[in-house]
Amino acid sequence: QVQLVESGGGLVQPGGSLRLSCAAPGSIFGINTMGWYRQAPGKERELVATITSGGSTNYADSVKGRFTISRDNAKNTVYLQMDSLQPEDTGVYYCNALILRVGARVALPYWGQGTQVTVSS
């Protein structure tokens, strides 16, 4: 079983920064796209950013220029550097990865448990 492990959330003042990490341990043959999603109270989960195994990135318009997604393929880890945080960035952040496990025929999506990010003064 692959369980994505997230870390790095917390409370930060407007204009501050946080860095989220998400690792995929276990018997993994390869990981395709990795990404971050968030869910604010009373709202649906939305895409924040994705990155392919080749390094191509995609961002939601609301975070372009403020957030940076990156990954370390050797460590099966994806990061989200969040700068100039605003109260509207508050929510639970979930990582997602399309993983081909050792012995499997197809890659499947896996989710992290979620980490709370709160931006407030």
Side-chain angles (χ1 to χ4, degrees):
Q1 182 68 26
V2 177
Q3 179 67 50
L4 304 184
V5 180
E6 303 174 13
S7 61
L11 172 65
V12 64
Q13 293 185 344
S17 297
L18 284 174
R19 188 184 192 223
L20 306 182
S21 300
C22 174
S27 300
I28 295 172
F29 183 80
I31 303 179
N32 194 339
T33 300
M34 305 182 81
W36 291 93
Y37 294 72
R38 68 186 180 190
Q39 187 166 18
K43 296 187 177 181
E44 294 186 353
R45 190 175 298 187
E46 63 176 0
L47 170 72
V48 176
T50 61
I51 184 168
T52 68
S53 57
S56 296
T57 58
N58 179 55
Y59 295 93
D61 288 343
S62 59
V63 307
K64 283 181 181 177
R66 300 188 298 121
F67 291 10
T68 303
I69 189 171
S70 61
R71 64 190 284 173
D72 184 332
N73 290 330
K75 296 181 178 179
N76 293 332
T77 299
V78 62
Y79 306 96
L80 185 68
Q81 177 66 42
M82 304 185 292
D83 299 317
S84 301
L85 283 160
Q86 300 302 315
E88 52 266 33
D89 296 315
T90 295
V92 179
Y93 283 68
Y94 299 90
C95 69
N96 171 271
L98 192 61
I99 297 174
L100 179 62
R101 297 175 58 189
V102 173
R105 294 185 177 182
V106 296
L108 296 174
Y110 292 86
W111 291 90
Q113 79 282 4
T115 185
Q116 178 70 44
V117 171
T118 302
V119 185
S120 175
S121 56

